[in-house]
Amino acid sequence: MGAKESADAKAKGSQNELDMSQPDTTFLQVLSQKKKVAKDEANYVLNGTGERKSCVKCKFNLGDEGKCHIVRGKINNEKGVSKFFSPKGDGMLPGDIVWIYVKQTGKKLKYKEGHVIHEGAPGYQCKDCKYYLYSGDCLLITGKFKPKMSCGFIVKIGHGTKV
């Protein structure tokens, strides 16, 4: 699974708040507490083959950064896996979980917390996200954004929960 498929797993779907899984709930706690889960608590291991489950196949993976939205520290995209592994189509989209956090707290994520990049892959840019406002603002992250930028929480227009 390449970067596009990983982005696809985090950007598309028809989930809603009723579909929240246990890993989704943990991610919401991470957002609220501003503290990721330690690798040993997450039961993070290198599974050897990476064929069935690996970080790169998880919706919480930040592949280019070698990070996870939930697990603290550097992760191995191809062989790493934790008890918070959540494949495409399981539970809610990460961006929609952030939207729940924003609605509950009234606070957007800080720019650095959004994993913002200056140019996203075609089809996965701010202009393709339902949380992007054409004024250059985002409903999830503080700061100004250009249409070609992207973040770790993009949700494609027409997918996920209703805004």
Side-chain angles (χ1 to χ4, degrees):
M1 177 182 270
K4 186 178 185 305
E5 290 86 0
S6 179
D8 191 43
K10 293 184 278 190
K12 289 184 178 177
S14 59
Q15 299 89 357
N16 63 50
E17 291 183 39
L18 299 174
D19 295 324
M20 190 171 269
S21 67
Q22 183 57 47
D24 296 343
T25 303
T26 302
F27 179 46
L28 191 56
Q29 289 172 342
V30 166
L31 291 169
S32 297
Q33 297 170 0
K34 303 286 186 210
K35 185 178 178 187
K36 290 185 178 185
V37 178
K39 285 182 178 177
D40 58 337
E41 260 184 272
N43 296 337
Y44 176 83
V45 295
L46 297 180
N47 68 4
T49 64
E51 290 175 20
R52 298 173 74 195
K53 285 185 178 181
S54 68
C55 292
V56 76
K57 296 176 183 178
C58 179
K59 69 184 182 187
F60 295 117
N61 179 48
L62 292 163
D64 291 343
E65 294 90 346
K67 293 181 180 179
C68 173
H69 286 310
I70 297 176
V71 180
R72 188 177 12 203
K74 188 93 171 151
I75 53 111
N76 181 311
N77 288 329
E78 298 302 321
K79 296 181 180 180
V81 69
S82 79
K83 69 180 181 182
F84 301 113
F85 175 82
S86 189
K88 177 180 177 179
D90 182 51
M92 293 183 67
L93 300 170
D96 286 337
I97 298 167
V98 174
W99 178 239
I100 291 170
Y101 167 79
V102 170
K103 289 190 302 182
Q104 287 177 350
T105 64
K107 298 177 190 173
K108 294 182 187 183
L109 295 181
K110 293 179 181 175
Y111 192 84
K112 185 178 176 184
E113 294 172 312
H115 308 285
V116 178
I117 57 174
H118 291 287
E119 187 166 343
Y124 297 93
Q125 298 173 338
C126 288
K127 67 183 179 184
D128 305 308
C129 181
K130 71 180 182 182
Y131 294 113
Y132 176 67
L133 304 174
Y134 289 100
S135 62
D137 290 323
C138 173
L139 295 175
L140 304 178
I141 303 167
T142 58
K144 289 288 182 185
F145 298 86
K146 294 180 180 170
K148 288 191 174 191
M149 294 172 84
S150 190
C151 77
F153 303 109
I154 183 172
V155 177
K156 291 189 75 127
I157 295 168
H159 292 279
T161 62
K162 299 274 185 222
V163 179

